[in-house]
């Protein structure tokens, strides 16, 4: 599926006005080979703990986008090169992290799209604390499981349903 987030915004001004389409603030950096990716959202809410991130990426992605609300923490990374390889192997379209990633060169070699706030060399703790498949807040925008994510060089969109 080829798309442009600019064209999706232009063609869906009614959804932007009603809240059926939202734009994430332009605070995310791009990683991974896929400059553009889209798919239904799977959601996680964690804080400086990536056990649930790994557990999610170990399951079949089926073209979904894993949206990780890491609380915006800049104190450690929630996704690294090994998880990027796992996401690619299991068919995830992309990962959006409201937090940090590491192993950026390894992530850039993976055939997925990744958006994150920054890089950080320190790994997270591993306690397994967090929630999955719930509504999360990413940079002030609510993302629900099953919402559609569209990401390209111009931005990241969250749609209540598939648009095109």
């Amino acid at each position: 599926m080829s798309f442009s987030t600019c064209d999706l915004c232009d063609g869906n001004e009614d959804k932007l006005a009603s809240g059926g389409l939202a734009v994430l603030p332009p605070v995310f950096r791009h990683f991974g080979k896929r400059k553009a990716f889209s798919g239904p959202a799977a959601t996680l809410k964690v804080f400086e703990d990536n056990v649930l991130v790994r557990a999610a990426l170990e399951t079949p992605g089926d073209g979904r986008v894993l949206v990780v609300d890491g609380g915006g923490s800049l104190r450690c990374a929630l996704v690294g090169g090994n998880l990027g390889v796992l996401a690619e192997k299991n068919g995830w379209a992309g990962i959006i992290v409201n937090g940090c990633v590491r192993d950026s060169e390894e992530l850039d070699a993976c055939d997925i799209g990744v958006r994150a706030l920054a890089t950080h060399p320190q790994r997270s703790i591993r306690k397994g604390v967090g929630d999955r498949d719930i509504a999360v807040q990413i940079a002030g925008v609510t993302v629900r499981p099953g919402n559609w994510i569209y990401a390209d060089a111009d931005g990241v969109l969250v749609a209540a349903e598939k648009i095109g």
Side-chain angles (χ1 to χ4, degrees):
M1 174 180 166
S2 179
F3 66 90
S4 157
T5 56
C6 296
D7 290 344
L8 290 175
C9 284
D10 292 351
N12 292 280
E13 291 179 348
D14 58 327
K15 288 179 175 59
L16 285 167
S18 70
L21 179 63
V23 180
L24 292 184
V27 296
F28 294 93
R29 290 178 52 193
H30 172 267
F31 305 92
K33 283 185 181 177
R34 291 189 191 174
K35 302 294 184 209
F37 59 93
S38 65
T43 61
L44 293 176
K45 183 176 179 75
V46 299
F47 189 73
E48 298 179 359
D49 183 340
N50 78 343
V51 170
L52 293 181
V53 177
R54 174 176 283 282
L57 295 174
E58 287 174 340
T59 66
D62 298 322
R64 292 178 295 162
V65 176
L66 183 62
V67 179
V68 181
D69 178 3
S73 173
L74 301 177
R75 299 190 310 192
C76 66
L78 294 173
V79 173
N82 291 336
L83 294 187
V85 169
L86 193 58
E88 177 183 357
K89 180 182 125 202
N90 288 325
W92 290 84
I95 307 168
I96 296 177
V97 182
N98 187 22
C100 295
V101 297
R102 66 189 226 157
D103 304 319
S104 60
E105 290 182 2
E106 292 176 30
L107 285 175
D108 285 341
C110 295
D111 187 20
I112 58 168
V114 178
R115 297 291 189 280
L117 298 177
T119 57
H120 197 293
Q122 184 177 336
R123 69 180 177 193
S124 74
I125 60 171
R126 294 187 174 128
K127 291 185 178 180
V129 177
D131 295 295
R132 67 181 87 206
D133 299 321
I134 63 167
V136 295
Q137 290 284 320
I138 303 295
V141 175
T142 300
V143 181
R144 291 176 175 79
N147 283 168
W148 270 74
I149 306 298
Y150 298 88
D152 68 7
D154 290 313
V156 181
L157 306 180
V158 178
E161 57 191 21
K162 186 175 184 177
I163 57 176

